[in-house]
Amino acid sequence: MGIRVLLVDDVVDVRRLVRTALRVRGGFEVLGEAGDGSEAVRLAESLQPDLVVLDLGLPDIAGRDVLTHIRDVSPVSKVVVFSGADTPDRSWITERVDGFVLKDSDLEYLVDLLESVGQRRDNEATLDLPRASTSAGAARRFVTQIVTEWKLEQLLDDAVLVASELATNAVTHADSSCRIRLSLSPAALRIDVIDEGAGTPDPRAAGSTDEHGRGLLLVAALTTAWGLEVLPGDGKLVWAELTRPT
């Protein structure tokens, strides 16, 4: 099966040009095309493509918003922006997509990038979570979807619990939005949660009447290993690994 692609651009000729280039290269399957943001979100949700080629200059929904909506409804999809002009919030967008190409670039470069990004789809998935009480639930749904697709149901309950605890820790104690990333190696399923908050997580014993405080002890008990990495600038990455069943 080829890399499954959704093309999003309000210019029909651009969609046709990219579609033709993908067909000539081979290894791609264009599942659908959208000319506005609303249709893009609807198709992303129904088709669950491997890859979305996204124009930011759509007529109905702003670029940041359509990207956020696509990430929400199809968290496993990779997104490559193919835009006619640079944007003031490019740094924000670049952090949340898998590639950013201006339309004055060589089309061959775009196709090379799409091929590279599409081939990485089987061993890594990410989801951005807001600083909100709903993030733990979103993390649980995301992990359930990805772990099930990776056919690691034996790890599902532990992975969901670990991801929920780490996301809750980032939102509640670090007071930060966060990014959850799942990656797969031959030996383990790894869960990363990246936030921009101050302080470091520290397992501590909770009293019998405490409502909180057991999360990291639970993570330590369920996982093969876990740890923390301080990132350049502000922020940290908390990681945990679950051994894959033989």
Side-chain angles (χ1 to χ4, degrees):
M1 182 182 295
I3 299 168
R4 301 157 58 251
V5 181
L6 171 63
L7 300 178
V8 181
D9 200 297
D10 61 329
V11 180
V12 174
D13 287 344
V14 171
R15 300 202 306 268
R16 182 183 300 116
L17 187 66
V18 176
R19 183 176 67 246
T20 301
L22 295 180
R23 185 173 66 246
V24 170
R25 172 66 62 90
F28 294 91
E29 178 187 0
V30 177
L31 298 180
E33 300 181 21
D36 58 52
S38 298
E39 181 72 357
V41 174
R42 186 188 70 79
L43 288 177
E45 182 173 22
S46 63
L47 298 175
Q48 297 292 302
D50 300 320
L51 189 57
V52 179
V53 182
L54 177 64
D55 178 28
L56 297 176
L58 300 173
D60 59 337
I61 303 179
R64 286 178 61 150
D65 294 335
V66 72
L67 173 59
T68 299
H69 292 324
I70 288 174
R71 287 292 195 202
D72 287 343
V73 301
S74 186
V76 299
S77 297
K78 302 289 187 181
V79 180
V80 171
V81 168
F82 188 45
S83 183
D86 216 336
T87 172
D89 55 358
R90 177 166 178 170
S91 61
W92 184 94
I93 291 172
T94 301
E95 291 176 356
R96 290 160 174 82
V97 298
D98 301 278
F100 194 114
V101 180
L102 293 176
K103 288 181 178 176
D104 59 4
S105 301
D106 186 81
L107 191 60
E108 193 77 9
Y109 170 74
L110 172 67
V111 177
D112 287 343
L113 178 63
L114 295 178
E115 188 172 53
S116 173
V117 169
Q119 290 173 346
R120 296 199 307 263
R121 69 187 185 278
D122 291 333
N123 59 5
E124 184 175 297
T126 62
L127 177 67
D128 291 307
L129 298 169
R131 185 179 59 185
S133 60
T134 57
S135 287
R140 289 192 290 270
R141 291 190 296 273
F142 171 69
V143 171
T144 298
Q145 179 180 354
I146 300 301
V147 172
T148 300
E149 289 186 1
W150 287 348
K151 302 186 186 305
L152 294 173
E153 288 85 352
Q154 290 171 273
L155 300 180
L156 180 58
D157 291 343
D158 289 350
V160 167
L161 190 51
V162 168
S164 178
E165 291 294 342
L166 295 184
T168 298
N169 191 71
V171 171
T172 303
H173 300 296
D175 194 27
S176 170
S177 59
C178 64
R179 170 177 291 184
I180 182 169
R181 179 173 62 212
L182 301 184
S183 56
L184 200 56
S185 71
L189 170 68
R190 174 167 166 139
I191 303 168
D192 296 327
V193 174
I194 305 160
D195 68 62
E196 299 177 352
T200 58
D202 182 25
R204 58 185 176 86
S208 60
T209 59
D210 290 347
E211 296 182 2
H212 306 285
R214 299 179 178 85
L216 290 176
L217 292 174
L218 189 59
V219 169
L222 291 175
T223 59
T224 309
W226 77 278
L228 177 142
E229 299 174 15
V230 177
L231 302 177
D234 295 327
K236 60 184 176 294
L237 181 154
V238 183
W239 60 270
E241 289 189 348
L242 297 165
T243 300
R244 293 180 63 173
T246 57

